[in-house]
Amino acid sequence: QVQLAESGGGLVQAGGSLRLSCAASGSIFGPNAMGWYRQAPGKQRELVATITSGADTNYAASVKGRFTISRDNARNSVNLEMNSLKPEDTAVYYCYLHPLAYSMVYWGKGTLVTVSS
C-alpha cells in the first residue's frame, strides 16, 4: 500500500507564489509518475503537472511557464512551485503516484489553494 501526504496549500493574493509538497510512503517499486491534479468547485479534476522517475515532465497549458514540478526519487517526494498565481488557479490540489507497471493510481487527500483577486 502507498500513502501520500500533501502540504503547502493556503491563501495567496493574485500574482503571488505557493509551494506544494507531497511525500509518498509504503511499497513503492519500479518506475513511476508523480504529480498533481486539481479540482475547482463545480469542475472536473484536471491534470496540472506530472513528472516521471526519469524526470520527464508534462504540464497543463494553463500553468506552463508559471508552475514548475520537481521530485526527489530518494525521498519519493514531489514538489510544485506555483508562481504568478491567478484566481482561476483556486482549487483543491491532489498529489498522485502511478506505478508505471500497473494500472493503479494512489491519491493524496488534497490541499486547498485559494487565490484572491
Side-chain angles (χ1 to χ4, degrees), residues 5 7 11 22 25 30 41 44-45 48 51 53 56 59 68 70 87 91 93 97-99 106 111:
S7 61
L11 173 65
C22 174
S25 60
Q44 289 188 329
R45 192 174 294 193
V48 177
I51 184 168
S53 46
D56 293 322
Y59 295 90
T68 302
S70 61
Y93 284 69
L97 185 148
H98 172 212
Y106 299 98
T111 184

Side-chain angles (χ1 to χ4, degrees), residues 22-99:
C22 174
S25 60
S27 302
I28 303 167
F29 301 104
N32 59 74
M34 295 185 73
W36 299 87
Y37 275 71
R38 67 185 180 187
Q39 187 165 20
K43 295 188 177 181
Q44 289 188 329
R45 192 174 294 193
E46 63 174 359
L47 175 69
V48 177
T50 186
I51 184 168
T52 68
S53 46
D56 293 322
T57 60
N58 186 41
Y59 295 90
S62 59
V63 307
K64 197 171 292 185
R66 299 188 297 123
F67 292 10
T68 302
I69 191 169
S70 61
R71 66 182 287 165
D72 183 335
N73 287 336
R75 299 185 178 188
N76 291 313
S77 63
V78 63
N79 299 307
L80 186 68
E81 298 280 354
M82 305 186 294
N83 299 313
S84 303
L85 283 162
K86 305 175 181 179
E88 51 262 44
D89 294 318
T90 295
V92 177
Y93 284 69
Y94 297 91
C95 176
Y96 79 93
L97 185 148
H98 172 212

